[in-house]
């Protein structure tokens, strides 16, 4: 059994997924790891591309979902897969290269000391490339709003590039998660904080996708802001 599981949620990512899997396989070649792609019934050939690579990499797996069920449920299924299969560590990474896979060895190594490792855009040294001024303000404002409402010291609550000890995820109890959308990232980190997990934020550069279409929109973002108020009084 491999020790680390890299989870990649996908929906119509055929332009990126094959190269990303190859890069992760090369970057982590000296480690014990598997890759799990959780696909929301992509119609652009993403699944075919992954299944072709599964003939090359015996540590590559896919969960095929019947419809576009969203990022939160994709990650919950991926986390449950990791727990059910005995992985020690779990890493979340987007399929669109906004998260540089070269950070993976560092993140995994830091799980020897920490329960949760967060690639942070919002601490000194962190940054975002190729985002509009408006989107940058919305993202930073969202994290600041979340920190203030939840009284949580994490600077990048909304970020999706995170490494977890499996035991930390187990303590959160995925069946208690109430977030259905973008707020999932915030809720997971907030629950980890409330459980007194040892958390590291390190600076990284988020790069807006070069290929494919973003799944983020204003409705998803503002829905998340409303859900944060629910978290405040439910956890």
């Amino acid at each position: 059994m491999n020790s680390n599981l890299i989870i990649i949620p996908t929906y119509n990512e055929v332009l990126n997924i094959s190269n990303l899997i190859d890069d992760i396989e090369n970057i982590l070649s000296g480690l014990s790891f598997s890759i799990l792609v959780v696909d929301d019934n992509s119609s652009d050939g993403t699944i075919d591309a992954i299944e072709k690579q599964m003939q090359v990499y015996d540590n590559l797996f896919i969960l095929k979902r019947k419809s576009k069920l969203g990022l939160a449920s994709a990650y919950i299924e991926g986390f449950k897969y990791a727990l059910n299969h005995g992985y020690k560590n779990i890493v979340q990474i987007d399929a669109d290269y906004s998260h540089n896979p070269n950070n993976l060895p560092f993140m995994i190594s830091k799980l020897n000391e920490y329960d949760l490792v967060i690639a942070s855009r919002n601490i000194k040294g962190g940054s975002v490339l190729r985002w509009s001024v408006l989107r940058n303000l919305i993202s930073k404002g969202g994290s600041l709003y979340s920190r203030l409402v939840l009284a949580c010291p994490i600077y990048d609550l909304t970020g999706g590039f995170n490494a977890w000890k499996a035991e930390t995820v187990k303590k959160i109890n995925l069946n208690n998660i109430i977030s259905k959308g973008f707020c999932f990232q915030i809720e997971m980190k907030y629950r980890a904080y409330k459980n007194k997990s040892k958390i590291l934020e390190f600076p990284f550069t988020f790069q807006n996708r070069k290929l494919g279409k973003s799944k983020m929109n204003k409705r998803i973002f503002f829905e998340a802001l409303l859900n944060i108020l629910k978290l405040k009084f439910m956890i």
Side-chain angles (χ1 to χ4, degrees):
M1 168 58 65
N2 290 328
S3 299
N4 306 288
L5 182 66
I6 316 300
I7 302 176
I8 312 173
T10 55
Y11 178 70
N12 291 344
E13 291 288 356
V14 71
L15 297 176
N16 296 300
I17 192 61
S18 295
N19 288 335
L20 179 62
I21 289 171
D22 286 338
D23 285 347
I24 293 173
E25 292 285 353
N26 289 328
I27 290 166
L28 296 181
S29 61
L31 295 180
S32 169
F33 74 99
S34 301
I35 299 173
L36 176 69
V37 180
V38 184
D39 186 82
D40 268 9
N41 196 30
S42 294
S43 59
D44 67 343
T46 296
I47 294 173
D48 292 337
I50 295 164
E51 290 181 334
K52 184 177 180 181
Q53 285 184 298
M54 288 173 69
Q55 299 175 22
V56 178
Y57 302 118
D58 62 6
N59 64 338
L60 173 62
F61 307 96
I62 184 171
L63 287 179
K64 300 179 195 176
R65 307 200 316 156
K66 294 181 179 179
S67 62
K68 192 174 186 295
L69 300 173
L71 187 66
S73 64
Y75 269 128
I76 287 173
E77 282 200 41
F79 281 133
K80 287 183 175 180
Y81 178 98
L83 297 180
N84 290 336
H85 287 80
Y87 288 94
K88 179 182 176 183
N89 301 317
I90 309 166
V91 183
Q92 304 169 255
I93 185 170
D94 286 352
D96 60 6
Y97 276 99
S98 57
H99 303 154
N100 189 334
N102 286 315
N103 288 299
L104 290 171
F106 172 81
M107 295 173 74
I108 291 171
S109 71
K110 284 299 178 181
L111 289 174
N112 291 321
E113 308 169 52
Y114 296 90
D115 302 312
L116 167 59
V117 178
I118 300 169
S120 179
R121 302 160 293 182
N122 298 335
I123 62 173
K124 185 176 181 181
S127 62
V128 173
L129 298 180
R130 298 193 304 275
W131 261 8
S132 68
V133 173
L134 177 60
R135 185 168 178 186
N136 220 340
L137 285 173
I138 288 174
S139 176
K140 289 184 181 299
S143 278
L144 178 59
Y145 168 83
S146 303
R147 287 182 66 221
L148 294 175
V149 170
L150 299 175
C152 179
I154 298 171
Y155 282 86
D156 198 339
L157 281 162
T158 61
F161 196 13
N162 312 296
W164 301 80
K165 281 184 178 175
E167 285 299 316
T168 305
V169 174
K170 192 178 295 184
K171 289 176 184 177
I172 287 173
N173 190 347
L174 295 168
N175 293 324
N176 290 336
I177 297 295
I178 64 173
S179 299
K180 303 298 183 184
F182 184 66
C183 194
F184 171 79
Q185 308 286 11
I186 299 169
E187 180 175 353
M188 286 289 292
K189 292 171 188 168
Y190 181 53
R191 286 184 180 273
Y193 165 70
K194 294 291 281 187
N195 286 343
K196 302 187 185 305
S197 300
K198 191 175 181 183
I199 300 171
L200 171 68
E201 281 190 89
F202 75 94
F204 100 113
T205 299
F206 178 99
Q207 303 186 58
N208 195 26
R209 66 163 60 239
K210 295 180 181 179
L211 300 172
K213 184 179 179 181
S214 174
K215 315 304 186 295
M216 182 62 177
N217 58 53
K218 291 181 181 178
R219 181 190 63 79
I220 292 172
F221 180 80
F222 287 109
E223 181 181 27
L225 296 188
L226 291 175
N227 284 341
I228 289 164
L229 293 173
K230 295 180 184 179
L231 295 178
K232 175 69 174 178
F233 298 105
M234 292 182 69
I235 301 175

